[in-house]
Structures are given as structure tokens and as C-alpha cells.
Amino acid sequence: MSAELREAAEELADLLWREHTVYRDRSGGVVIRGEHVQRWISMSTGAGRDEVLLRAGRILDGGTTAPARSEAVASLSAGTTALAAVCRRLLAETAPGPAAPPPARTRRNRRTRHTSLRSWLVVACVAAVIGLYLARMS
């Protein structure tokens, strides 16, 4: 299965990216790295005989890999184009979202409340409880 997995990964890498690196990971799976797109795909044997677990993630600055953001199980016998379609979907899910706009600065009114109404209610309730306790003690 490992030779079949490696061969499928090489064909898949050629379909996905023109620049790529294919290597074996510690668990016996195969990893395809696309440095120019800052993404990676890993393939490992799945639960079934013909199944592969596909995982996708990002490559961080400095070349380290982030944990997988998405994963799917696919049939190895479905063919390289079907695997490529699944991988493209996973890679799209790993794409970083649009950058959030910086928070808008609001002008603060000169007369701001330092203590909210809720805080005053809590202080009043605590004072009432202490007052009742002292009244019962005497």
C-alpha cells in the first residue's frame, strides 16, 4: 500500500502544483508541500482497504507546518482527478480568511461613568445583606 500511496501522491502533486515536494512522514504517510502557495496535503491509509485519509494545512513563516485545518476520506481507486478535486476543496478550506478591519476608534464622552449601574446594585445588595446580618446580631 505504501508504494501505491507514494505513486498516487506523486501524480496528485503534478496535478495540484507545478512546484512541489513529496516526502514520507513519520507515520508512513506521504506529504505534498507547495511552498509557493504555503499549503500542504498529507495522504495516509484510511480505515478501509482502498481508503486514504487526506489532510490539508498551511505552511507558516519559517517553513513550519500548522496543524491540519481540514480532512476527508477518499477512495484511492477513484482516480487521480477525483483525489485532486477533494484536495482542492480541502485546500480552499485552509485558505486564510480576509483580514479583519482594525477596530474603529470611538470618541469617548468626557463625562464617562466609572462605575456602572450594575456595580452600584451589587454594592447596595451587599450593604443590605451586611445590614440585615448586623441587625440580627444585636
Side-chain angles (χ1 to χ4, degrees):
M1 180 70 169
S2 63
E4 190 178 348
L5 193 63
R6 173 77 180 202
E7 183 180 318
E10 300 231 356
E11 291 175 16
L12 185 61
D14 289 335
L15 280 177
L16 292 175
W17 301 308
R18 58 197 144 109
E19 298 175 31
H20 57 270
T21 305
V22 179
Y23 61 92
R24 177 166 278 213
D25 67 359
R26 289 183 214 149
S27 64
V30 180
V31 177
I32 307 166
R33 283 177 68 109
E35 296 288 338
H36 63 291
V37 291
Q38 297 294 301
R39 302 283 179 274
W40 59 266
I41 290 277
S42 75
M43 296 175 65
S44 59
T45 55
R49 181 176 171 213
D50 188 35
E51 292 180 339
V52 290
L53 174 64
L54 298 168
R55 296 174 46 200
R58 294 177 41 209
I59 299 173
L60 303 174
D61 292 337
T64 60
T65 57
R69 286 194 169 190
S70 57
E71 60 183 42
V73 176
S75 173
L76 194 57
S77 64
T80 310
T81 54
L83 287 174
V86 173
C87 288
R88 285 186 182 108
R89 180 180 55 85
L90 293 176
L91 291 167
E93 291 174 6
T94 64
R105 296 189 112 194
T106 58
R107 278 190 160 173
R108 293 184 61 106
N109 192 356
R110 285 184 184 179
R111 296 168 56 181
T112 60
R113 254 189 216 161
H114 294 287
T115 309
S116 68
L117 180 62
R118 283 187 194 158
S119 298
W120 285 114
L121 286 175
V122 169
V123 169
C125 288
V126 169
V129 168
I130 291 173
L132 286 173
Y133 178 75
L134 292 175
R136 285 195 151 208
M137 292 295 287
S138 42

